[in-house]
Amino acid sequence: MANSMLKNLAAVQPGTSGIIGHLTWMSISELLISRDELRDKLKKNGLEGFMPAPIRLPDAFRRATNAKYRHILNSGLYENYLFREVASDTKTVQRNIIRETVDQKGRRLDYDGNAAVLILDKQSEKVNISATCPVAERLAIDAATKFDIYKEHYGAQTVRSVLTAILKSMAPTPVRPSGGVYFVPAKYQDQLSAMVAFAKSLERGEGQMVPMIDTSDMRSMVTQKLVDHLRQTLRACEESADRQLTKSQLKELLENAKSVANDFTQYREIVTGDLAEMESLVSAIRTKVSEALMNLAV
């Protein structure tokens, strides 16, 4: 990924002058990390302000009970086992394992909505299990074991969210349409170095930053990527009404759009050419965000 993108880039040694910013990318494999360990790693790199919220018991319970399992009975018959939430209140959360017997064409031949019942007691932090068949019982016991781990440990998804939050605080511009590689202005060099060090400190974590020389070609590349990013952001705002987004999804889209518009100020001394189109795009994004927020408030 990186080699093909960077083969034509002009680079300098880290810490030298004459750079406009850095290209950066990260990769985090599946992991489990305790809250104390994550806090220590963030604090060591001066990033403790990005510590995620404490793990909620219901979230850990749902995370432990989201698997699907297929059991082969004989030729042409299968049993599917799936978790479903049945009830949730201030004291408990109930998740059932349902069992459905289907044939090769997917036709349901039998159904048991209570193959296993798992009830999380929030006060004791224990999972109580009852089951009517051995397979469902094994799945329930496995889920309860995972819950004991997940209630004390964050997963890769949370860690990626932390890294995304850190990255977003540095006015990033995606270099690839699909994301994954970003340009970060030079003024954020220290924070970017801290983020990369944090990523590398994680089990099977990777983080890289490549400095970019202040040349006309590099400035032109950043300018084009910024324009593309602004256009894509405006297009996402314009199409949001037709995408049937949930309220939370729309809020996330608008917050991201607002950040993109605000980050433009960090690029005024980097970009080249006429700023008129970029300023017009930023203005249009802010207008769309304001209109959408007003509609949300109605």
Side-chain angles (χ1 to χ4, degrees):
M1 172 192 71
N3 290 339
S4 61
M5 284 198 55
L6 303 178
K7 63 181 180 181
N8 294 321
L9 283 183
V12 295
Q13 293 300 314
T16 61
S17 59
I19 66 173
I20 58 173
H22 297 79
L23 290 185
T24 186
W25 63 92
M26 297 162 291
S27 175
I28 303 297
S29 300
E30 290 304 312
L31 56 74
L32 290 171
I33 184 169
S34 70
R35 182 169 176 82
D36 287 343
E37 184 181 359
L38 181 58
R39 183 191 293 110
D40 289 345
K41 289 183 180 296
L42 286 169
K43 186 175 182 180
K44 181 180 179 180
N45 291 287
L47 300 169
E48 58 267 34
F50 294 94
M51 186 68 190
I55 300 170
R56 297 175 63 251
L57 289 176
D59 292 340
F61 185 48
R62 293 180 179 112
R63 182 178 160 205
T65 54
N66 66 355
K68 297 179 181 179
Y69 178 74
R70 168 166 281 194
H71 177 61
I72 301 175
L73 292 176
N74 52 52
S75 58
L77 290 180
Y78 308 90
E79 283 182 340
N80 294 325
Y81 292 84
L82 306 94
F83 288 92
R84 289 288 184 269
E85 186 146 333
V86 175
S88 178
D89 55 34
T90 57
K91 296 181 179 180
T92 63
V93 178
Q94 179 180 338
R95 303 269 287 175
N96 286 11
I97 296 179
I98 66 170
R99 178 183 60 183
E100 60 175 10
T101 305
V102 298
D103 61 17
Q104 286 181 322
K105 295 182 178 180
R107 291 177 298 196
R108 181 185 290 174
L109 305 178
D110 192 20
Y111 179 87
D112 181 1
N114 297 284
V117 176
L118 300 85
I119 299 178
L120 167 65
D121 185 315
K122 296 180 182 179
Q123 184 172 4
S124 68
E125 301 187 7
K126 299 297 183 183
V127 177
N128 300 307
I129 297 171
S130 62
T132 60
C133 77
V135 175
E137 184 177 27
R138 289 198 301 270
L139 293 174
I141 292 173
D142 180 61
T145 301
K146 288 180 178 178
F147 166 72
D148 287 335
I149 297 171
Y150 293 164
K151 71 181 182 181
E152 303 291 345
H153 294 79
Y154 295 105
Q157 183 176 347
T158 299
V159 175
R160 292 186 188 110
S161 296
V162 169
L163 286 166
T164 297
I166 299 171
L167 181 63
K168 284 185 176 180
S169 71
M170 296 183 285
T173 292
V175 174
R176 298 193 312 170
S178 58
V181 180
Y182 298 86
F183 171 81
V184 173
K187 65 174 291 185
Y188 296 104
Q189 178 170 324
D190 291 344
Q191 186 172 337
L192 181 59
S193 296
M195 183 189 73
V196 169
F198 166 66
K200 288 182 176 180
S201 74
L202 298 167
E203 183 181 1
R204 296 190 299 277
E206 177 188 356
Q208 300 293 337
M209 55 186 289
V210 177
M212 295 176 59
I213 285 181
D214 185 359
T215 67
S216 59
D217 285 345
M218 294 301 101
R219 285 180 178 266
S220 295
M221 187 273 283
V222 172
T223 300
Q224 185 57 56
K225 296 302 179 182
L226 179 60
V227 170
D228 292 343
H229 189 35
L230 292 172
R231 288 172 179 167
Q232 183 178 5
T233 301
L234 178 59
R235 185 162 55 250
C237 290
E238 292 172 339
E239 295 174 352
S240 61
D242 300 326
R243 292 171 55 190
Q244 297 181 332
L245 301 177
T246 65
K247 196 169 186 178
S248 62
Q249 288 173 328
L250 181 57
K251 283 185 176 179
E252 182 179 356
L253 185 151
L254 295 177
E255 284 299 319
N256 179 65
K258 186 162 62 173
S259 295
V260 170
N262 292 338
D263 289 346
F264 175 66
T265 59
Q266 307 296 331
Y267 285 83
R268 287 186 174 275
E269 295 182 0
I270 298 176
V271 296
T272 60
D274 188 357
L275 298 181
E277 181 185 3
M278 285 177 276
E279 290 174 340
S280 176
L281 288 167
V282 169
S283 177
I285 291 170
R286 286 177 171 152
T287 299
K288 289 294 182 181
V289 169
S290 297
E291 291 174 351
L293 289 175
M294 289 178 62
N295 292 333
L296 276 177
V298 175

